[in-house]
Amino acid sequence: MHKPSPPRPTPGFTATLLRWSAAAAIASLAGCAAPPPAADTAAPAAPDTAASRQPPPTGASVAGQARTFSTQLATYTSVGFDSVPGWSRDDFSESWPAFLGSCKVLTGRGAEWKEVCERALKVDGRNNNAIRGFFEGEFSAYQIRDDDRRPDGVVTGYFEPEIAGSRQYGAPFIYPVYGQPEDMLFADARKLPAGNGTVAARVDGRNVVVQTGLSTRDMGAPGLYALDLSGVSRDTIDRRVRLRIEGKQLLPYYTREEIETKGAPNAKVLAFVSSATALYEMQIQGSGRIKLPSGELIRVAYAEQNGQPFRPTLAQAANGKPRSPVKVRGSSIELQLDDGDDDDVGAVDSSTIRTRGFTLARPVASGAVVVPGRRAAGAVAGSGIKDPSYVFFKEATSPVGGPVGAFGVPLSAGRSIAVDPRSTPLGYPGFVSTRTPGSGAPMQRLTIAQDTGGAIRGAVRADYFFGNGQQAATNARRMKERGQLWILLPRGLAVAQAATGTSSASAIRTRGGPVGANLPQCLVPTEGSCVDD
């Protein structure tokens, strides 16, 4: 389920009905033990398989052989499974369906994954010991630390919202849920010239291709457009810039305010809803269900994002400061969540709503939005939401299962998480140690990274999918806990640069320090979710 970015955009801002009820998922969380301090114990030697004996690509490390390695964002340290808190107590059968769902995609990602997933089909999915033995035999566990070598990060929660709506426009259903616009164009940020000048470009289908060697005088020629690079935001995980044509210019795609007040005539309207705030929350969650007056449900999933930076409309605390300060770098967002107890966690009143780990203000709409082909009654003032980012949806083909996440498979309540794909590749198993919202009971379980989002940035960062329904919504809105994260890598898999030895360790990034020239951005580069420059 993509969230703005993009929340999903990933290539953006994601998403997926539940395999299990939210109540059962939450109940299963309560029995876990408290997270102990992080362990640095080295993992036992990997079995001598053909995969582990193959030499890695130049500059890469091999999972199961390298004790530690790094990317620009994270450091990974090998640990034994017995040192992962709660590993021996988890019910792995609850994660097994989600893992097999990932295998349907991962089998096409290389020989290591193909072989692992083929062997997974022979495991008894009802036998907890058999599943645990499979993971311990096929994978190596690595604890993820951020670029300051800190093991602790932030775990938030999300859910699949349900809001009232209609297929027809008419009060109170006046806010359109848009599909992906047909006039949205894409440029590969890696192929754009450096600097902030203006360059000539042509449009090939939906793709924008920069024409090198041309001067500004050539930009008036047929088929050529002027692209002002100073207005382009390149900092997206998928390295795609969203653009539109206006006259002979290529401009960044419309902001939320422009879409809401001028309409999106090149986008299909999937439905109309009565609440601008509920629609905004659904955009942040990355998917949702719209309940029609007849009782019919329309499931929508993330389709695209407008490419504008995600700057949520944050509620104010009593001292006038945002409850969750936001630091924006380029088009990305980093939520600076406090480390202590938050009196506002779970507090939702008539003027605020807590979602994705931060608290939003409830904007008051002062007029109706413009609907394609219709004139809105009253003043056209949009929703009052100041966030320039905007998520477009697509109608899901089937109402069965959970919402579909960024990885393209249905999410599993209680076992799927959204991550930063630069440090935790989509589809991979990850063990999370944190606490249950509200009760503070330890929550330690194997999850599968199957989603991402624009606000999910950082090495030790996870967004836990609680499912749908009121209980899931309550828990997701209250979830903001410290946590630790371990990734499970197939033995023999080539990953990021090695970081062993004094010279290599000196190249590891520390906050405020230089980044090693050879350190990759992504642990595993994947077109469409994390792309190394």
Side-chain angles (χ1 to χ4, degrees):
M1 185 194 279
H2 246 79
K3 296 109 190 164
S5 179
R8 311 163 246 167
T10 275
F13 265 173
T14 92
T16 343
L17 280 174
L18 308 181
R19 290 175 191 250
W20 308 287
S21 68
I26 301 306
S28 68
L29 301 182
C32 307
D40 258 346
T41 307
D48 186 20
T49 63
S52 65
R53 291 194 301 268
Q54 292 175 356
T58 303
S61 298
V62 172
Q65 296 180 8
R67 185 181 186 279
T68 182
F69 47 86
S70 294
T71 64
Q72 294 178 17
L73 294 177
T75 294
Y76 304 80
T77 303
S78 176
V79 299
F81 283 98
D82 57 353
S83 69
V84 178
W87 175 263
S88 63
R89 295 183 296 272
D90 191 22
D91 185 351
F92 293 92
S93 64
E94 294 183 0
S95 297
W96 196 241
F99 175 71
L100 293 181
S102 282
C103 265
K104 294 177 181 179
V105 179
L106 291 171
T107 51
R109 298 283 173 87
E112 292 86 0
W113 271 115
K114 185 176 186 296
E115 294 170 3
V116 166
C117 289
E118 285 176 351
R119 288 190 285 271
L121 296 176
K122 301 176 183 178
V123 176
D124 182 356
R126 297 166 296 180
N127 187 322
N128 193 54
N129 290 332
I131 299 172
R132 179 186 291 111
F134 167 81
F135 282 117
E136 291 178 355
E138 299 286 349
F139 293 85
S140 293
Y142 286 84
Q143 182 165 20
I144 305 176
R145 287 178 168 84
D146 70 9
D147 55 7
D148 264 348
R149 304 295 190 88
R150 295 178 302 183
D152 291 334
V154 176
V155 180
T156 52
Y158 69 115
F159 68 105
E160 184 185 32
E162 180 178 303
I163 58 180
S166 173
R167 291 282 193 184
Q168 288 77 42
Y169 173 79
F173 305 115
I174 62 173
Y175 297 99
V177 181
Y178 286 118
Q180 180 177 342
E182 296 179 359
D183 62 343
M184 181 180 288
L185 305 176
F186 303 92
D188 189 335
R190 296 166 295 174
K191 297 180 180 179
L192 296 179
N196 294 322
T198 299
V199 296
R202 60 179 177 84
V203 175
D204 182 7
R206 287 287 191 96
N207 298 317
V208 172
V209 182
V210 172
Q211 304 298 287
T212 58
L214 298 180
S215 67
T216 54
R217 293 176 300 177
D218 300 312
M219 295 178 189
L224 290 181
Y225 300 89
L227 173 59
D228 183 358
L229 297 176
S230 65
V232 167
S233 178
R234 306 172 192 241
D235 186 21
T236 56
I237 293 176
D238 67 344
R239 294 292 187 256
R240 293 204 301 174
V241 178
R242 278 76 174 168
L243 301 166
R244 62 184 176 87
I245 294 175
E246 185 171 299
K248 295 294 291 183
Q249 291 182 299
L250 290 168
L251 302 176
Y253 205 77
Y254 299 109
T255 64
R256 172 178 297 274
E257 183 179 11
E258 291 172 322
I259 292 169
E260 291 182 340
T261 58
K262 299 178 182 178
N266 293 294
K268 178 182 178 181
V269 176
L270 306 179
F272 300 90
V273 297
S274 59
S275 169
T277 304
L279 175 58
Y280 182 44
E281 182 179 42
M282 189 168 74
Q283 290 177 321
I284 291 175
Q285 301 300 324
S287 70
R289 301 189 298 180
I290 302 170
K291 189 172 184 178
L292 304 181
S294 64
E296 177 190 354
L297 290 174
I298 303 172
R299 168 169 276 168
V300 294
Y302 171 90
E304 254 300 341
Q305 192 257 357
N306 63 346
Q308 298 288 342
F310 174 53
R311 298 190 178 113
T313 304
L314 296 178
Q316 302 295 309
N319 60 6
K321 296 181 179 180
R323 285 190 172 107
S324 297
V326 172
K327 177 182 179 181
V328 176
R329 290 196 294 252
S331 66
S332 66
I333 179 171
E334 178 181 336
L335 298 179
Q336 302 292 327
L337 303 176
D338 59 274
D339 295 330
D341 293 335
D342 189 347
D343 293 337
D344 291 322
V345 170
V348 179
D349 55 37
S350 60
S351 62
T352 65
I353 186 168
R354 185 172 180 79
T355 183
R356 299 311 296 261
F358 50 94
T359 306
L360 300 173
R362 286 188 185 272
V364 178
S366 55
V369 300
V370 172
V371 179
R374 300 177 176 86
R375 178 178 293 277
V380 177
S383 67
I385 297 172
K386 302 302 182 183
D387 181 8
S389 71
Y390 194 94
V391 168
F392 302 99
F393 291 102
K394 60 185 176 184
E395 194 165 340
T397 56
S398 172
V400 178
V404 175
F407 193 56
V409 300
L411 302 182
S412 297
R415 292 291 174 166
S416 295
I417 58 172
V419 296
D420 187 333
R422 295 174 297 179
S423 52
T424 306
L426 295 183
Y428 285 47
F431 199 90
V432 178
S433 178
T434 184
R435 295 187 180 275
T436 305
S439 70
M443 175 177 140
Q444 298 162 336
R445 53 181 33 218
L446 182 67
T447 61
I448 311 299
Q450 295 177 322
D451 208 358
T452 186
I456 314 305
R457 306 295 291 266
V460 190
R461 182 73 173 91
D463 202 24
Y464 188 85
F465 179 62
F466 282 93
N468 66 356
Q470 187 55 51
Q471 186 64 50
T474 299
N475 281 282
R477 288 167 176 161
R478 298 175 72 180
M479 184 71 184
K480 190 195 76 174
E481 300 287 343
R482 307 303 298 179
Q484 297 179 8
L485 185 61
W486 291 257
I487 186 171
L488 273 58
L489 300 173
R491 297 184 189 273
L493 180 71
V495 288
Q497 160 126 2
T500 55
T502 305
S503 60
S504 295
S506 64
I508 298 175
R509 176 180 180 173
T510 56
R511 199 173 301 280
V515 177
N518 295 323
L519 290 181
Q521 181 189 50
C522 309
L523 177 64
V524 179
T526 304
E527 202 70 36
S529 62
C530 181
V531 180
D532 270 323
D533 290 330

